[in-house]
Amino acid sequence: MRAPTPHAFSLAVALSLVAAAPLSAQTTPAPAPAPAAAPAANGPIDRIIAEGTQKSEVMRFAAHLTDRIGSRLTNSPGMRQAEAWTQDQFRALGLTNVHKEGFDFGRGWWVERASVRMVSPRPIQLTAIPIAWTPATQGTLTAPVIVAPIRSADDFAAWHGKLKGRIVLLSAPGEGSEPRTPAFRRWTEEELQAFDTFRPERYDPDGTRRELAKLDFPRQLDAFLKAEGAVATATQSVRDGKLLHGSAYRFARGDTPSLPGVEIAAEDYRRLARLAAAGDAPVLEIQSDTRYDDSDVKAYNVIADIAGSDRSGAYVMAGAHLDSWAAGDGAVDNAAGVAMVIEAARILSKMPKPKRTIRFALWNGEEQGLLGSLDYVERHIATRPTPNPPRTGLARFIGWDLDWPIKPLPDHAKLVAYFNLDNGSGRVRGINAEGNTAAVPIFKQWFAPFASMDATMVANRKVGGTDHLFFSAVGVPAFQFIQDPLDYGSRLHHTSIDTYDHLKAGDMQQGATILAAFLWNAANSDAPLPRQPIPTEPKTETPK
Amino acid sequence: MRAPTPHAFSLAVALSLVAAAPLSAQTTPAPAPAPAAAPAANGPIDRIIAEGTQKSEVMRFAAHLTDRIGSRLTNSPGMRQAEAWTQDQFRALGLTNVHKEGFDFGRGWWVERASVRMVSPRPIQLTAIPIAWTPATQGTLTAPVIVAPIRSADDFAAWHGKLKGRIVLLSAPGEGSEPRTPAFRRWTEEELQAFDTFRPERYDPDGTRRELAKLDFPRQLDAFLKAEGAVATATQSVRDGKLLHGSAYRFARGDTPSLPGVEIAAEDYRRLARLAAAGDAPVLEIQSDTRYDDSDVKAYNVIADIAGSDRSGAYVMAGAHLDSWAAGDGAVDNAAGVAMVIEAARILSKMPKPKRTIRFALWNGEEQGLLGSLDYVERHIATRPTPNPPRTGLARFIGWDLDWPIKPLPDHAKLVAYFNLDNGSGRVRGINAEGNTAAVPIFKQWFAPFASMDATMVANRKVGGTDHLFFSAVGVPAFQFIQDPLDYGSRLHHTSIDTYDHLKAGDMQQGATILAAFLWNAANSDAPLPRQPIPTEPKTETPK
């Protein structure tokens, strides 16, 4: 293991000579500056910018992933196609070591056909989607609804005997809402600056254990509903405007719900709840033709390299998750990131051989708890003690900070930096430095050529939620870019309108170009990016 | 016919004494004002405000119309229920002369069940709705699509021979868009002031004739598609975000399209178009179980009165259209207006007998060209010469200003004022005076008690588009209130999310109360509202 010390960084220093050109505010004439060396024509970053902005293929990659393949739920037929097609793309670009790495996941699932209608008190087709991994209805199921917002096992007694033969509406309906801010927006400079706010890591093992304990409730609820004779479940979409998600976390092989389940658009769900409250228990007709595939319960990450000249085995890495939820085509989440990663590989495939190897990873199982990147980290980078009993699935994600110490594996020292893209199709405005203060000035220099393309901010904060997390957690420099939000969070994230239509081509070209430049810089710098120590078990919990 | 002269108006004058209380800006002490008469406790307007804001039932009316009855396409089963239920409500409130007035319309239509799937190149359930009045598919129709944006009969030759066996995608797909302004908003004071902008009436008979000529294109297109062997049509929703409309104007009995037709959500439609352009002609499976009802081709307006003490037969009137399109529940368009009209009737039913009769009208066929209010005007208020051949349906609406002279009928002189509500559930912020300059100061006085409820603006402009139009066009004082836009235009108007969820109860209580107050004032004023002359054929067209 290499000691994580900050290094002087020659490319950064070279760039700083340009960026820090003296701005004289004195009234006396400044001495004439020494004549600058003529800038090198077609420097590597200029070549990357030309390739990425003039010959971009990023939208071709995105179109195939979204329009042609569509949703890529982990282990679904779409995801299997995507695993194969992305490997083909990397091979066609001349990358080496193209392969997939499997990890235990569970069954595949998809929707072949689905329809939810209210048939009484009046016929109306509802906007609805089967909840991921729920079983089929075996033809058409017709039953009255009951609104039973069961929040914990403590509520079971109150509903005992009332659910037989019913479609159980599990969400509390609430009231409609209206969007009072623009759905589509970009960060202001003030907002970007506010991101530069370091907060110490917060460890909360008691909170983690409480979260883990809650994970069993869906199974308890499923067993209760089955025992009570309920025939199906329905939940309300968390968004208004008839947007659907259908996302739920029930993935392990053999651990799928007993009852068919659908998510119903908020407007349609609330109408059902109001009619039920008014005395007319509406009758629904559900046809949910969902399918399982148990032929291969492993999920696969896709890996591809641009081999470096350095024989030490050092490498830099970019990643994005290839899997998605199933309501839309997984466009901003995250065909956008995947297309930018492949496009960065395409751009860099036109460049001379880098010093360090550049690795590209397309993760699987991200939506179920960063499982693909976690597998990569545990397989190659570092391990933690296995608890007894071992945690699986989402519990691995939630419980990751309970197990100490971290034991580095051989790649820990070789992986110089990991860069992640998972914030939609908005242009890159900066990067989160994850508390790596020595990396901050280096990143600022790397962004210098991109100031005119709106990318400048280096925010020394930690962010979570996506695939750099487990790298960062074991002390590898791992970073997520800051991207303009656009309408990612306001209406696209996991929804039925996460389609190609809402990808922004100009933004994605910029993002892929910057990713390529960062990878080039990280692969070719004299010294690797500064590192932080491997985290050790915190002695005291951070005050709340 | 009574000459339309401005009259002094005693209630207005009385209110002006309160509103115009002297505000002294002098430095010398103002003389002590004469002691004011003690205000009358429980004056009529205070009673109306108390009833409308403390005992409101407006949301009960709205809930039944939207949740329970749902969409009310002219002559559909929902609209038949609404015709009956609203009469029941008026009777239950003690109103008299409750009846319906029928006019020729055409067949009823509704959607019993509908599903549109892409089955190739991959299975995905599309968000789609049958287009109003299109025929059923007779089971499931499976066929490949072709994108053929046929805009006029001139395009037919280019598509000859290419459409056989195809589902014809008739819209040009365009590109996705993002909402950059808030969907939900209220008028600013500046915007309200800008409405006070009088523009002279614009007559454009040549333009009208061109519009009339275009009305035949849908029939030509239908005949062409049928002759070419196309199997169905599809259009793209005009809004993004998976909102649907399904609205189309094909209503006359026996004049329904030959081919099943669906409107597909923009995101889904564009995906089809992109896949088709990429070489994979997608195959759709359409099940459109639509139904016709030819048992009664008349559509009915609902009329109800609060009888006045005056024996002259003079009356004031409020109206809103009861019919809707079929994609949502017709909530903001226009259960909101209907509920406010019925609630105004409820409030006024608690008041002493007014001087003039107060009439309530719920119109039918508004969405197909203000046909219900046009029928009322032609039946009771004024006639125009019948062209040869007579115009029907939408052509009656479009061609209304071609036929002169206007001949008043007996009710022309009796109808003192007509007030319309058709701008959603937003609170009343003012009223459009329609060029009736003498009414402006009167309305300002009528709004005086509502300044603290945000309603103040009297804008002397003409507005069109809804059921006051034909009254105003024949010289009866007829007005549409100004309401806050909320998200009516941005996402609710005619869409699949026009449901009860998006009605604003507080706003609707305010609106119903103000409508009741205006009706009370108009019914009880010493002199009727000032009138304008009956329009005569313009000698010259207004310059464009």
Side-chain angles (χ1 to χ4, degrees), chain A residues 202-357:
Chain A
R202 177 175 177 273
Y203 293 96
D204 179 11
D206 291 341
T208 297
R209 288 185 195 98
R210 281 193 299 273
E211 287 300 309
L212 288 170
K214 284 184 200 166
L215 287 182
D216 207 41
F217 174 63
R219 288 176 192 83
Q220 295 169 356
L221 176 60
D222 185 63
F224 172 72
L225 295 173
K226 188 180 178 189
E228 292 287 321
V231 295
T233 64
T235 56
Q236 178 180 315
S237 171
V238 296
R239 293 178 199 263
D240 278 3
K242 289 236 170 181
L243 297 180
L244 293 173
H245 300 72
S247 49
Y249 187 62
R250 294 293 190 83
F251 69 89
R253 182 172 187 164
D255 179 28
T256 38
S258 307
L259 298 181
V262 292
E263 181 191 279
I264 299 177
E267 283 83 357
D268 286 332
Y269 187 99
R270 291 198 200 96
R271 184 201 294 112
L272 294 172
R274 287 191 299 267
L275 287 171
D280 285 316
V283 176
L284 301 189
E285 182 189 274
I286 302 178
Q287 183 191 29
S288 178
D289 181 0
T290 60
R291 311 278 176 96
Y292 293 111
D293 178 4
D294 292 319
S295 62
D296 185 354
V297 296
K298 279 193 187 303
Y300 296 91
N301 296 324
V302 169
I303 308 288
D305 289 351
I306 292 177
S309 57
D310 183 314
R311 307 299 287 262
S312 70
Y315 65 99
V316 302
M317 195 171 187
H321 71 87
L322 183 57
D323 68 298
S324 75
W325 286 107
D329 292 341
V332 301
D333 192 17
N334 188 18
V338 170
M340 287 190 271
V341 165
I342 302 176
E343 169 69 0
R346 190 195 67 76
I347 295 167
L348 293 170
S349 74
K350 308 292 185 187
M351 300 289 288
K353 186 188 274 281
K355 188 164 94 176
R356 302 181 187 91
T357 289

